[in-house]
Amino acid sequence: MTPPVARRPADHAESLANLRLEQDALALYDALSSIEKDPHRAETFRTIAGNERRHAGIWADRLRALGAEVPPPARPRARVRFIILLARIFGTNAVHDLVIGLEGEEERIYASRPPSREAEAIAADERAHAEMWKQLRAESSAAASAPAAT
């Protein structure tokens, strides 16, 4: 068994905050994938959820390495629950801008933290998620503007 790494309170607090952020994102994308009717879009959301699950695992492992307990996932923040509710009522297209905002917020949070290999890789994934959303928007726009088949 590997002994815990030297623990600074900031390491623990930061890792715990990052875990919570990723657990919220995981809850969001799991919900979006179950709400979405279009198979391609639902698969995209499942792919992103898999990334978020991996991110949460990174921070859980980091907490364990610090000798800390990993808390179970908490109820998502109100903002995430609100986005899920809107997606249930109006569809996943309707929450595009809100989710892009969350992705940008996550990227900014990781960019503001002390540099680490984990944070840099996760920030790159968050940028890729935003690009996936842009691609989905472009596909939806193209489909909406295509002439109806007769």
Side-chain angles (χ1 to χ4, degrees):
M1 184 170 138
T2 307
V5 296
R7 179 173 149 172
R8 295 184 346 227
D11 290 340
H12 178 264
E14 183 179 293
S15 295
L16 194 57
N18 291 345
L19 174 63
R20 174 85 174 146
L21 194 65
E22 299 301 337
Q23 288 172 333
D24 276 359
L26 175 57
L28 173 65
Y29 284 108
D30 276 346
L32 293 178
S33 70
S34 69
I35 293 166
E36 180 56 57
K37 304 288 187 253
D38 177 87
H40 170 67
R41 289 176 61 87
E43 183 57 33
T44 299
F45 297 145
R46 281 191 290 278
T47 297
I48 297 173
N51 289 339
E52 303 296 5
R53 188 171 284 107
R54 182 174 46 79
H55 298 166
I58 289 168
W59 298 117
D61 289 347
R62 178 95 178 264
L63 284 167
R64 285 185 202 96
L66 292 167
E69 290 241 356
V70 177
R75 184 175 186 203
R77 292 175 290 165
R79 182 176 176 189
V80 172
R81 292 191 321 268
F82 180 68
I83 292 170
I84 293 168
L85 176 64
L86 289 176
R88 286 187 208 286
I89 296 168
F90 300 109
T92 62
N93 274 327
V95 298
H96 175 273
D97 292 340
L98 295 171
V99 177
I100 290 291
L102 279 179
E103 292 290 354
E105 181 181 303
E106 286 186 37
E107 185 181 347
R108 284 187 297 279
I109 287 169
Y110 283 118
S112 72
R113 302 256 163 86
S116 73
R117 194 181 66 226
E118 295 96 346
E120 289 170 12
I122 292 171
D125 283 347
E126 301 305 341
R127 286 189 295 276
H129 297 166
E131 288 302 316
M132 293 167 111
W133 271 96
K134 289 176 187 172
Q135 181 65 35
L136 291 175
R137 162 90 25 113
E139 291 167 4
S140 292
S141 295
S145 64
T150 54

